[in-house]
Amino acid sequence: MERRYSEYSERELRDEIAELTEKAQKAEQLGMVNEYAVHERKIIMAKAYMMNPDDFSAGETYEMDGDYEHTFFIEYMNGIFAWGYRKQNGQKVSTEEEALPISMLGRHVQE
C-alpha cells in the first residue's frame, strides 16, 4: 500500500522528488508525453508538502510558476492547496474557482 506524501519526512520527500525527476527526464527522452506529465504533477505535489501553507494568505495575489501571463488570487487555503482564481492584468480571468498546490505559487504580488 502506498503512503501519502503527507506521511513522508522531508528527507523522504527530497528522495522522492529526485527519483521522480529522473523518471520524468527518461520519459521525456523517450517521447512519453503522458508519463512525463504524470511525474511532473507528482513532483509538484511532493514539493507542496515541503512548503509551509502559512506563508500564503487568503485575500492576497501571487505569481504563478510557469505562467507569466496570470497571477493567482487566493480566496482561502485548505492544507497545501490555495483555492481561488487566476487574474490577468489585475482582472479576474474566469469565474470558476480552482485549487492549486502551493508549490505552483511564487512571490506575493502587490496590487
Side-chain angles (χ1 to χ4, degrees):
M1 187 154 118
E2 280 193 44
R3 291 172 43 215
R4 297 171 184 238
Y5 286 148
S6 61
E7 298 169 346
Y8 282 42
S9 68
E10 186 168 340
R11 177 68 183 161
E12 290 172 316
L13 286 167
R14 288 185 194 284
D15 291 345
E16 177 75 359
I17 291 168
E19 184 179 325
L20 289 168
T21 300
E22 189 175 312
K23 286 180 179 180
Q25 289 170 345
K26 286 180 184 176
E28 184 178 34
Q29 290 170 352
L30 295 172
M32 302 168 77
V33 180
N34 291 339
E35 187 172 330
Y36 172 79
V38 167
H39 294 310
E40 284 295 308
R41 293 279 185 208
K42 286 183 177 182
I43 291 168
I44 289 168
M45 290 302 297
K47 285 181 178 180
Y49 279 101
M50 293 177 60
M51 298 175 74
N52 184 358
D54 293 335
D55 291 343
F56 301 89
S57 302
E60 300 292 337
T61 303
Y62 295 86
E63 292 177 347
M64 294 178 61
D65 287 345
D67 184 351
Y68 304 105
E69 292 183 22
H70 298 100
T71 56
F72 192 79
F73 178 80
I74 300 176
E75 291 187 323
Y76 65 95
M77 295 290 299
N78 186 357
I80 61 157
F81 286 95
W83 285 83
Y85 55 86
R86 293 173 195 245
K87 294 172 84 175
Q88 188 172 25
N89 299 325
Q91 300 296 316
K92 203 177 201 181
V93 174
S94 120
T95 57
E96 268 190 56
E97 186 178 68
E98 65 179 303
L100 294 180
I102 58 176
S103 56
M104 292 183 70
L105 300 178
R107 295 181 308 157
H108 177 261
V109 176
Q110 295 291 335
E111 292 190 300

